[in-house]
Amino acid sequence: MKTYTRIKSVKLNLFRLIVIIVLFLNITPILLSQDSDIEVINEFMNNWHLAATQADGKSFFESMDKDAIYIGTDATERWTKKEFEDFAMPYFNKGKAWDFKTIERKVYFSDDKKYAWFNETLNTWMGVCRSSGVLKKHDNNWKIMHYHLSVTVPNNKVKDFIELINLKEKNK
């Protein structure tokens, strides 16, 4: 009876080991794939920001979908790709656009991996800014569909900020 129990215990442990190995082999590619996809998005977005830093308008605007929307920091700044290109190209052509450095970025994907969205914190000439965006995969290449940039205001400075804006509006 002892031998039977021992054999049963060995078989059970072997079965558990096989289950663990199978689970590990099945889940590892998924986890590695997700990390790889995030790295691709991070590289894409970092290159997009770098194109602005280097005043490379061609690369910057080719990274945006033809139907892209860019929302800037001013309440009036909601541009189609064409409108934003018309506004920004004079800066690019002078060799001086803007320089945004990523502090942190979080990336998420649709189940079918055709869409990604992100939020990021940026170090800019305006101080720390926050942005969010949506990307769509076109023929294995990502394109920006929507980008929204905002200036951050510390909570303890919001009242001062509102007063400053109201004063500026009053003096118009």
Side-chain angles (χ1 to χ4, degrees), residues 112-126:
D112 62 5
K113 301 279 184 146
K114 291 182 181 177
Y115 291 90
W117 57 97
F118 64 91
N119 60 276
E120 61 185 359
T121 308
L122 304 165
N123 189 8
T124 77
W125 65 271
M126 298 171 278

Side-chain angles (χ1 to χ4, degrees), residues 31-54:
L31 295 174
L32 292 176
S33 171
Q34 186 170 352
D35 286 347
S36 175
D37 291 337
I38 290 171
E39 288 173 18
V40 168
I41 296 295
N42 281 330
E43 183 179 359
F44 174 82
M45 290 305 302
N46 290 342
N47 286 338
W48 188 61
H49 289 308
L50 183 62
T53 301
Q54 296 175 343

